[in-house]
């Protein structure tokens, strides 16, 4: 059996142990009109609990739209993929969550392999969702994705980088960073995909180190350093964040190297120990629906349904991609993360 999905992050020794207590609404209906009513579940106990790796605005919009459409109340915990996996591990003897949304499909596949998910093969619109991002047996669906490029400060950059190797040049010395892969699922995806597809990837990373590459927190912290001008470029920049910042008037742009980059799917799955399975299925159905997919596109992410148009960003077929196989990738990602930490710690 493969290592538990938490292993990718905990082995690196970066994440803190989370002291967790999730407060759920739980005051039952005190009015009992019949034996039938008294045996029914109080409405509060039917609250759907979702653990989601953002983006914050998208998660909130999906929650609001889902609640309005179905009448099902959602309790939402948002955090990085690493924090969510850590929380699931801490709660393994007393499971709380029904649905999990992760920013790394490899980590979601790890949950499947360690028997922590249940199949929902009959999900509505499942056939419309990118099969390369989803599990063939319905254990999870890649409802969206981000492409990982080079985000750079337009005020401080005279010529945009065209390739990953450009960032080893003197003009970028001490002006580049990368999100910490121990905190960012998408950064781990980038390292895995880049090193799997590019023979000279590790040699290029050594050159980045010599050029002063800084490991700079999670995705937001890395991009914020570029927006403020503290750094000029972020390697493995999450594109939807860059597009959102640009739309907000920040001096940032993103480029996808011509040699190819990693497209990192974001997946949703129903936990095996879910208490509210019907509501969890309804939530997955909503994410895969045209309405849910349009909310994804509005957040500058790539929808899992390719027929949903995107705006103010590159479409999937416009992005040079490295060929990445995500099935069974988690164990290899642990090896990549360990080697990366050996170089940069």
């Amino acid at each position: 059996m493969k290592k538990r999905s938490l292993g990718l992050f905990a082995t690196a020794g970066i994440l803190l142990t989370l002291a967790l207590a999730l407060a759920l609404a739980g005051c039952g209906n005190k009015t009992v009109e019949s034996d039938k009513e008294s045996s029914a579940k109080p409405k509060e106990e039917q609250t759907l609990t979702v653990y989601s790796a953002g983006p914050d605005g998208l998660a909130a919009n999906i929650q609001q739209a889902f609640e309005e459409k179905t009448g099902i109340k959602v309790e939402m915990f948002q955090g990085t993929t690493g924090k969510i996996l850590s929380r699931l591990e801490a709660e393994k003897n007393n499971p709380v969550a029904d649905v999990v949304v992760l920013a790394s499909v490899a980590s979601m596949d790890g949950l499947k392999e360690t028997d922590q998910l249940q199949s929902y093969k009959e999900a509505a619109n499942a056939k419309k969702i990118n099969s390369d991002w989803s599990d063939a047996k319905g254990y999870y669906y890649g409802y969206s994705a981000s492409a990982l490029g080079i985000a750079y400060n337009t005020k401080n950059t005279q010529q945009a980088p065209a390739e990953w190797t450009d960032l080893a040049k003197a003009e970028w010395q001490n002006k580049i960073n990368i999100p910490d892969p121990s905190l960012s699922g998408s950064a781990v995806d980038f390292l895995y995909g880049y090193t799997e597809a590019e023979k000279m990837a590790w040699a290029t990373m050594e050159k980045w180190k010599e050029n002063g590459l800084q490991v700079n927190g999670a995705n937001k912290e890395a991009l914020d350093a570029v927006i403020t001008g503290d750094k000029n470029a972020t390697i493995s920049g999450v594109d939807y964040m860059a597009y959102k910042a640009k739309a907000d008037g920040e001096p940032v742009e993103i480029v996808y190297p011509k040699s190819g980059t990693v497209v990192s799917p974001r997946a949703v799955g129903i936990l095996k120990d879910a208490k509210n399975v019907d509501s969890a299925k309804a939530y997955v159905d909503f994410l895969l629906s045209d309405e849910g997919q349009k909310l994804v596109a509005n957040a500058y992410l790539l929808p899992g349904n390719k027929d949903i148009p995107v705006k103010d960003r590159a479409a999937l077929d416009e992005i040079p991609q490295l060929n990445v196989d995500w099935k069974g990738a988690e164990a290899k990602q642990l090896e990549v993360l360990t080697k990366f930490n050996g170089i940069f710690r």
Side-chain angles (χ1 to χ4, degrees):
M1 179 177 292
K2 294 184 180 180
K3 295 180 181 290
R4 295 184 64 84
S5 186
L6 174 63
L8 175 61
F9 295 89
T11 303
I14 304 299
L15 293 175
L16 297 174
T17 302
L18 296 174
L20 304 167
L22 186 64
L24 295 176
C27 53
N29 186 347
K30 296 181 180 179
T31 302
V32 180
E33 297 181 358
S34 66
D35 291 340
K36 183 177 180 180
E37 283 188 8
S38 64
S39 64
K41 270 185 154 185
K43 184 177 181 180
E44 288 83 354
E45 292 183 11
Q46 296 174 17
T47 297
L48 180 70
T49 302
V50 177
Y51 288 1
S52 179
D56 294 352
L58 174 59
N61 289 340
I62 289 173
Q63 177 179 348
Q64 179 179 350
F66 174 76
E67 289 180 339
E68 291 176 353
K69 188 178 184 68
T70 65
I72 299 171
K73 179 176 173 55
V74 175
E75 290 287 347
M76 180 79 69
F77 167 75
Q78 294 185 54
T80 64
T81 292
K83 287 182 178 179
I84 289 173
L85 294 176
S86 185
R87 186 162 186 157
L88 290 175
E89 176 71 8
E91 295 173 347
K92 64 182 179 181
N93 294 325
N94 186 26
V96 175
D98 299 302
V99 174
V100 62
V101 180
L102 299 180
S104 170
V105 75
S107 294
M108 188 69 82
D109 194 63
L111 291 181
K112 175 202 169 185
E113 291 301 307
T114 51
D115 196 29
Q116 296 180 68
L117 300 177
Q118 58 180 282
S119 174
Y120 181 33
K121 195 170 184 178
E122 65 276 17
N125 294 311
K127 293 182 179 180
K128 295 183 179 181
I129 302 301
N130 193 322
S131 60
D132 292 336
W133 302 351
S134 304
D135 179 66
K137 296 183 179 180
Y139 282 88
Y140 57 83
Y141 294 97
Y143 78 102
S144 69
S146 60
L148 307 172
I150 302 172
Y152 64 93
N153 185 297
T154 55
K155 289 183 178 180
N156 296 346
T157 303
Q158 294 182 348
Q159 183 175 354
E163 281 297 345
W164 301 112
T165 52
D166 288 348
L167 297 177
K169 296 178 179 178
E171 60 261 38
W172 298 97
Q173 188 171 17
N174 298 322
K175 289 296 183 179
I176 54 176
N177 70 13
I178 189 171
D180 187 340
S182 297
L183 302 176
S184 166
S186 59
V188 180
D189 284 354
F190 169 75
L191 293 176
Y192 167 72
Y194 185 45
T195 56
E196 282 284 301
E198 176 52 64
K199 292 181 180 179
M200 298 301 294
W202 288 111
T204 299
M205 281 191 270
E206 291 279 5
K207 291 178 181 178
W208 290 343
K209 180 183 179 182
E210 293 171 5
N211 215 28
L213 178 65
Q214 181 179 356
V215 180
N216 213 162
N219 298 319
K220 185 179 185 301
E221 289 81 358
L223 183 60
D224 283 348
V226 172
I227 290 173
T228 61
D230 182 56
K231 298 295 180 183
N232 287 353
T234 291
I235 297 167
S236 184
V238 180
D239 66 351
Y240 76 83
M241 290 185 173
Y243 287 122
K244 175 64 166 58
K246 179 182 176 181
D248 290 341
E250 301 292 358
V252 64
E253 186 60 87
I254 190 159
V255 63
Y256 308 108
K258 295 177 182 179
S259 59
T261 190
V262 175
V263 172
S264 175
R266 309 168 72 87
V268 58
I270 301 174
L271 289 162
K272 184 177 181 179
D273 295 321
K275 297 180 178 66
N276 303 294
V277 176
D278 288 343
S279 295
K281 290 180 177 180
Y283 191 86
V284 172
D285 287 345
F286 182 78
L287 274 184
L288 306 189
S289 70
D290 287 358
E291 182 179 355
Q293 290 291 287
K294 287 176 182 177
L295 290 174
V296 167
N298 290 341
Y300 301 101
L301 279 157
L302 294 165
N305 182 349
K306 63 180 178 58
D307 294 329
I308 301 297
V310 297
K311 60 180 181 180
D312 300 324
R313 65 149 298 137
L316 182 62
D317 59 6
E318 297 173 329
I319 300 171
Q321 294 181 57
L322 297 173
N323 187 21
V324 182
D325 182 5
W326 297 110
K327 303 303 185 291
E330 191 189 31
K332 293 181 180 179
Q333 284 191 337
L334 179 58
E335 296 174 7
V336 171
L337 179 60
T338 300
K339 185 171 182 177
F340 178 87
N341 285 336
I343 295 172
F344 288 94
R345 302 295 180 191

